[in-house]
Amino acid sequence: MDLIMIVVGALILLTVTERSRGHDYGDALSKSILFFEAQRSGKLPPTQRVTWRKDSAVHDGDQFQEGVSHLYRKLDLVGGYYDAGDNVKFNFPMAFSTSMLAWSVIQFGSSMGAERKHALEAIRWGTEYLMKATSVPGYVVVQVGDPYSDHNCWQRPEDMDTSRTFYAVSKECPGSEVSAEIAAALAASSIVFKRYQLAYSARLLRRARMVFEFADKYRGSYNDGLGHWVCPFYCDYSGYQDELVWGAAWLFKATKNSYYRKYIDENIHNLKTFAEFGWDSKDAGINVLLSTLMISNSSNSNADNFICSVLPESPSLSVSYSPGGLMFKQGGSNLQHATAFSFLFLVYADYLNKVNRHVDCGGKASAISPTRLIQFARSQVDYILGSNPLKMSYMVGYGEKYPKRIHHRASSLPSIDMQRGHIDCKGGSSYFQSQNPNPNVLLGALVGGPDINDQYADSRSDFVHSEPTTYINAPFVGALAYFKSHPSSKPN
């Protein structure tokens, strides 16, 4: 079995290498960050580069959920990001995307060159909104918009006339996973801005502490109190314990306060797995992050186990691969796994180089070097950018062949510059059903990707494969920054 897995791994790596034509990682990095400007909600700044997008949802906060009206009649919730191709602001994946953008800058910001400025702007657009969402003590806003009415419409964000009700968690209706993820995003972002805007960094860190305390003191899942509104869209399937440890890890990195280290030591046993990482489960990310902080031997072991669960030559492989070499895991749009895992592999490779260590996966894979981790990450990045059987880039606007009919309202409908008249809820249906390419090119957007047979239908209705999301793009920013400075895949 060991020999078979080694042969499979070698064939996958050879296939990807043979198809690689070399990629402009700098161009892909620029586009991957630009995508976030197209996802902006609220009043757009004069520096907005995606000019076919206009102001939207500028009255968010006016409509409140039943049960919170005694606290405030109105709250400023303008801003933030639309998570995908719809017009709802889901704070759980938004906070995770912000965390990953911040981690990308912390880890690989020095490789971003002039794009670091735009990455900082992308982070701040998220943190400014998350500060608004946590501005009332004892409450954390977790969503803006009725997802049922929104998903029943195909409408430009600039034209929205669906409900913009906001939903919040509290001590009576807790939501530890969302609150702790927001705390993680604010803490990680405070590290980023400490170098550039010290006062703002301090504000972010104070709020992160406060929100984390709230998440930990009033424990519970937002599935229980708000399940009708958050499920099945961003239902929490992995529990909230991982977000609490994730939040504590980022607060420890930001503060070096022994309280958070003790908290991690006392709660890390609550993690359920070592091989998951994304907007829902943070386990693998926690173990990689803690390894880089060198505060948990068990994290080193579990981070190694994560690596061994992914590499095709490992006897403990737990993921699948397409014939063209793309990694596959169950659960939603597949490229979210490929980008997030690639980012973690690069971070862990950097750590292994610093401590001069290899990963032991057993059998014939007993000495996995940092170079091998980097090779894996590059194989996934290159596949996404076009080194695949279809020779198709899954980043919109990158390369000669890329998805043209993506599942995205703003991209698929004519912009206000093209058609000024109001498009109502069902007015966009003909555009959704059209076989024409989207009129607005959503530069830098990563779609869900091909199927496990390396096929891609390029169909607007096939949202699992054709819908872009912020949490697919966010870790890809860091991976592209790394390869921009290391195009030969060699470690530091």
Side-chain angles (χ1 to χ4, degrees), residues 2 5 36 196 242 341 355 378 492:
D2 290 343
M5 295 313 302
F36 286 89
Y196 306 98
D242 55 324
F341 282 27
V355 297
R378 177 164 178 165
N492 291 322

Side-chain angles (χ1 to χ4, degrees), residues 330-351:
Q330 290 185 341
S333 302
N334 184 63
L335 287 194
Q336 67 179 301
H337 307 302
T339 61
F341 282 27
S342 295
F343 176 84
L344 291 185
F345 266 58
L346 292 172
V347 174
Y348 204 54
D350 187 53
Y351 159 75

Side-chain angles (χ1 to χ4, degrees), residues 70-265:
H70 67 284
L71 260 177
Y72 36 80
R73 299 298 299 179
K74 186 175 180 180
L75 186 64
D76 178 8
L77 292 173
V78 177
Y81 290 108
Y82 303 116
D83 73 295
D86 52 23
N87 299 326
V88 182
K89 294 191 300 200
F90 295 101
N91 292 7
F92 196 13
M94 189 196 306
F96 174 71
S97 299
T98 305
S99 299
M100 291 308 299
L101 284 172
W103 197 359
S104 294
V105 172
I106 292 167
Q107 192 74 33
F108 303 120
S110 61
S111 299
M112 291 181 178
E115 290 305 318
R116 178 157 52 181
K117 171 181 178 291
H118 297 304
L120 295 177
E121 292 169 352
I123 295 168
R124 184 150 186 164
W125 194 266
T127 56
E128 288 290 285
Y129 168 79
L130 295 176
M131 292 288 278
K132 293 179 179 181
T134 56
S135 61
V136 178
Y139 286 79
V140 172
V141 175
V142 300
Q143 185 171 309
V144 180
D146 174 355
Y148 297 98
S149 62
D150 179 87
H151 287 94
N152 190 45
C153 295
W154 196 259
Q155 193 173 25
R156 296 181 299 203
E158 294 84 359
D159 288 332
M160 275 188 293
D161 44 29
T162 53
S163 170
R164 299 301 291 174
T165 302
F166 69 83
Y167 304 90
V169 296
S170 63
K171 63 181 180 180
E172 293 85 11
C173 177
S176 296
E177 63 278 271
V178 190
S179 303
E181 182 61 63
I182 291 175
L186 297 176
S189 299
S190 76
I191 299 171
V192 171
F193 286 106
K194 190 173 183 179
R195 178 177 175 182
Y196 306 98
Q197 301 170 31
L198 191 58
Y200 185 62
S201 170
R203 280 184 57 214
L204 294 176
L205 189 54
R206 285 194 299 270
R207 185 64 59 82
R209 287 174 178 267
M210 183 189 81
V211 177
F212 178 80
E213 181 180 357
F214 167 79
D216 184 47
K217 185 175 182 180
Y218 303 106
R219 293 191 176 194
S221 173
Y222 81 156
N223 292 358
D224 298 329
L226 296 174
H228 174 70
W229 303 108
V230 303
C231 296
F233 311 100
Y234 288 100
C235 198
D236 179 19
Y237 298 99
S238 68
Y240 57 80
Q241 297 286 356
D242 55 324
E243 277 81 26
L244 289 173
V245 178
W246 173 248
W250 279 110
L251 279 162
F252 177 76
K253 183 172 177 64
T255 66
K256 301 301 185 291
N257 189 313
S258 60
Y259 168 81
Y260 297 110
R261 176 166 183 168
K262 181 180 178 183
Y263 185 97
I264 293 165
D265 291 338

